[in-house]
Amino acid sequence: MTQYLSPLLSGVALIAMASPALAQETDPALQDVIIVAGSRLDSPAHQAVTPDAAPLLGSDITLLTARIPGAARIGNGELSGQMQYRGLFGERLNLRVDGQRFASGGPNLMDPVFHYAPAPLVQAVIIDRGVSPVSAGPGLAGGADAVFKRIGFGETGDTALHHDLTVGGRSVNDSLSVGGVVGAASADWRVNLLGAWEEGSDTGFADGVIGGTGFERGVFGLSAGARTTLGEVSLDLRRQNTGPSGNPPFPMDIQYFDTDFARLAYAHDFGAIHLDASVHVTDVAHLMDNFSLRPSPAAIQTRASLADATTRGGEIALGLEAWGGRVEFGVDTETVDHHVSITNPANADFIVTPFPDIRLERTGAFIEWTGPLGPVQSQVGLRVDQNRHDAGTAVLGSALPMAPRMLANAFNAADRSGDELTVDAVARVWTPVRNHLSWRATLARKQQVPGYIQRYGWLPISASGGLADGNIYVGDLALEPETAWITEIGFDYASARAYLRPTLYYRQVDNYIQGTPFDATPGILDTPVEMIAGMNGDPTPLLWRNTDARLYGFDLDGGYDLDGPLRIDGVLNYVRGERRDIDDNLYRIAPPSLQLGLTWDASVWSATLEARAVAEQDRLSATNSETATDGYVVLTAYGDWQVRDGVRLSLGVENLLDEAYQDHLSGFNRNSFGDVPVGERLPGSGRGAFLRLSIAG
């Protein structure tokens, strides 16, 4: 029964193992590993979960990451989910796709980072446990990297063909997903093509259909590498086309995201020194509108918005044995260009640039040491980043009235450039495993510069960086970086029959950026900002301001091997977010939740009955007019069958009792198609069957 002992990521003990190459890249007590394809990793410091066995609840990979301790999902559309980790989300998390950092294209985060990680293409999601190491880049809290499938180098000079393909579907929205990789490799070279296609119709729920939730997304590309005496070179190219996809919580829907990724990397060992270097670019072109996937408004209110974002970056790092352990140090840089225009297709004279020609630049350096420190293992690191920002001139068409022109003139006359120095420091220690137990602790200082939406939003519109709450926000050029002081303590226990991994954490955040009332007389339209906001449907706009906050809580996962092939596994999450400057709660914090799975595991098949219980959330942000949600329990049943070596079939039924429920982190409906009233929080999916077939070899 020891094959069931490693801590599992989802509250159901899912059988898969991490590849040896992946295992070598991870450090005990530092990371959680969500295995999407491959084999299982047994370690008290790592966890493994595979969509081949987990419930197929949708196309978004954040539905999988939400099953780890400390995590939740913000549901803003079938392809626009965001990962929340211990109460923080969005740009505060250090998220990467295949090792690549980049900026999203949509000002409302319709394309958050994991929008670009379709599940059929992902081998593993590596979670930075608690906080991100400084070597992974800047970020206020934890982070994650969605690593793509690829054909690895062979062990001999002979050429071998390989494939890893998945096809699946859900009845609740008549969706289909298919994708994977095919390629060839020898000991000296490798190449594979990759591709995926996903599409679905409107999602059903207990009382009808959620209108405007259909989607489509396609990806194609290649990955290649070569080994020579001069080093190892790799090239990754990818094109993603997201087609018309609904986002009911937003004022507009996706018409397209056309996005290109390119990354060139080099690695070589110069004696005892290992060198890693890479350059990368990501280019996003985006169109959204408010009439193609929802009832068309009056011509004067018709809107189409074009946005683009280009990220260019590079990094170089050296690693070597030093001071009884291993030290890594390096430099990295990023330049991000954003531009957003809003138009009225019925009026050529209506155009405005709420985020004009914004440029964000960062250059950083880090040093990180991992090794024994007396009786414990440790990782300590320091990162320093120089951040610069600037914005172009706001442009308005002749159809815009006087009030927006006044705001644009004030914005254009202001000093829109600046720079900030941020410093991150992380120290983590953990004990060797003794009597099945390993203790761990973390101290960290992390900083995060304001996002471009928060700093440069001069026009009162509902661009909120993904909050999708119907509020109108404006930015503040004088915002200061956020600073988090973090402490965590916990242990990992794994015996012959049980495992348990609890963590207590506390995060004090100075200069926490949150929407606050624009002035001292909310609802009285006595400023141009409030007048414009009132005309746009919200007479109480919010201004992004620096506040003070704290987040604290605990989470755990654990399980027990019962007699016979039966086991129980669970995940418990609790997080509180509070303002420290006033008596209020932080906004959009996940309620407490418990997930339990009872699994019967035979030799080539398994069956699981899973219950997810979520408490009511009544600790609300009065500042942001947050509304409460009731608790609920959802049951899901699913099974997994290893048909033969390399062939796996999974099937099940989600929401067995067709429970009508609302997740607290879901947005509010703004699409009058379907059966959800406008202004109501979006409901969870109804009862539906799913089926998935995976073939690898």
Side-chain angles (χ1 to χ4, degrees), residues 17 30 67 115 303 559 642:
M17 276 195 55
L30 304 180
R67 300 169 68 82
H115 172 84
R303 297 288 184 269
Q642 189 75 39

Side-chain angles (χ1 to χ4, degrees), residues 7 61 69 179 209-210 265 338 342 388 392 405 410 456:
I61 200 73
V209 172
I210 309 172
H338 287 280
I342 301 175
R388 297 180 177 86
R405 293 184 181 280
Y456 287 120

Side-chain angles (χ1 to χ4, degrees), residues 84 86-89 92 140 482 507-509 512-516 547-552 575-590 617-626 664-665:
Q84 185 177 106
R86 293 177 177 169
L88 298 177
F89 58 98
R92 292 183 172 114
L140 194 69
E482 299 174 317
R507 295 175 176 178
Q508 177 171 300
V509 186
Y512 184 86
I513 299 173
Q514 178 160 324
T516 61
T547 66
D548 292 319
R550 58 175 162 257
L551 297 109
Y552 58 91
V575 58
R576 286 279 285 119
E578 299 173 342
R579 292 273 296 270
R580 291 166 35 232
D581 52 334
I582 63 172
D583 183 15
D584 198 8
N585 296 296
L586 291 187
Y587 184 44
R588 218 166 187 188
I589 301 296
Q617 181 58 290
D618 55 5
R619 290 174 169 171
L620 310 170
S621 170
T623 301
N624 296 77
S625 304
E626 191 173 16
H664 187 75
L665 298 184

Side-chain angles (χ1 to χ4, degrees), residues 91 387 420 422 447-451 454-455 480-482 513:
E91 294 179 338
N387 302 271
E420 295 120 343
T422 57
Q447 288 194 290
Q448 175 75 23
V449 296
Q454 299 163 336
R455 193 191 299 276
E480 297 291 331
E482 299 174 317
I513 299 173

Side-chain angles (χ1 to χ4, degrees), residues 369-628:
W369 179 81
T370 304
L373 193 64
V376 299
Q377 296 293 311
S378 65
Q379 183 185 79
V380 293
L382 179 70
R383 164 175 282 275
V384 179
D385 289 284
Q386 181 66 48
N387 302 271
R388 297 180 177 86
H389 57 269
D390 199 0
T393 301
V395 175
L396 291 82
S398 60
L400 273 293
M402 182 57 66
R405 293 184 181 280
M406 294 172 59
L407 296 182
N409 289 338
F411 177 81
N412 292 339
D415 183 1
R416 302 183 299 279
S417 63
D419 60 83
E420 295 120 343
L421 186 72
T422 57
V423 179
D424 293 350
V426 176
R428 302 205 256 193
V429 297
W430 63 97
T431 65
V433 177
R434 292 190 180 91
N435 298 321
H436 313 294
L437 182 68
S438 173
W439 289 90
R440 50 186 161 76
T442 298
L443 293 174
R445 177 191 192 265
K446 289 279 200 168
Q447 288 194 290
Q448 175 75 23
V449 296
Y452 79 99
I453 301 293
Q454 299 163 336
R455 193 191 299 276
Y456 287 120
W458 65 269
L459 183 65
I461 56 177
S462 56
S464 60
L467 291 179
D469 56 6
N471 287 316
I472 284 178
Y473 292 83
V474 289
D476 184 355
L477 292 171
L479 286 173
E480 297 291 331
E482 299 174 317
T483 302
W485 303 90
I486 301 167
T487 181
E488 299 177 4
I489 188 169
F491 65 82
D492 300 337
Y493 173 82
S495 72
R497 301 192 66 170
Y499 67 89
L500 184 66
R501 302 194 326 155
T503 301
L504 288 168
Y505 58 89
Y506 179 87
R507 295 175 176 178
Q508 177 171 300
V509 186
D510 300 330
N511 291 323
Y512 184 86
I513 299 173
Q514 178 160 324
T516 61
F518 179 76
D519 60 16
T521 57
I524 300 176
L525 308 185
D526 53 1
T527 66
V529 166
E530 292 170 302
M531 294 176 187
I532 297 171
M535 289 187 290
N536 288 334
D538 181 6
T540 57
L542 300 175
L543 174 68
W544 297 111
R545 282 193 178 93
N546 289 119
T547 66
D548 292 319
R550 58 175 162 257
L551 297 109
Y552 58 91
F554 67 89
D555 49 61
L556 64 84
D557 60 344
Y560 187 76
D561 224 349
L562 304 170
D563 291 333
L566 198 64
R567 68 180 187 275
I568 187 169
D569 301 87
V571 174
L572 176 66
N573 290 317
Y574 176 85
V575 58
R576 286 279 285 119
E578 299 173 342
R579 292 273 296 270
R580 291 166 35 232
D581 52 334
I582 63 172
D583 183 15
D584 198 8
N585 296 296
L586 291 187
Y587 184 44
R588 218 166 187 188
I589 301 296
S593 65
L594 172 64
Q595 187 170 278
L596 288 173
L598 184 64
T599 300
W600 183 278
D601 218 323
S603 59
V604 296
W605 63 271
S606 66
T608 299
L609 178 64
E610 180 181 283
R612 179 170 179 258
V614 178
E616 66 177 2
Q617 181 58 290
D618 55 5
R619 290 174 169 171
L620 310 170
S621 170
T623 301
N624 296 77
S625 304
E626 191 173 16
T627 58

Side-chain angles (χ1 to χ4, degrees), residues 247-248 250-253 290-296 670-671 673:
N247 295 90
F250 294 120
M252 300 185 191
D253 299 298
N290 66 349
F291 54 86
S292 296
L293 300 178
R294 61 185 68 192
S296 297
R670 303 179 71 170
N671 188 333
F673 283 153

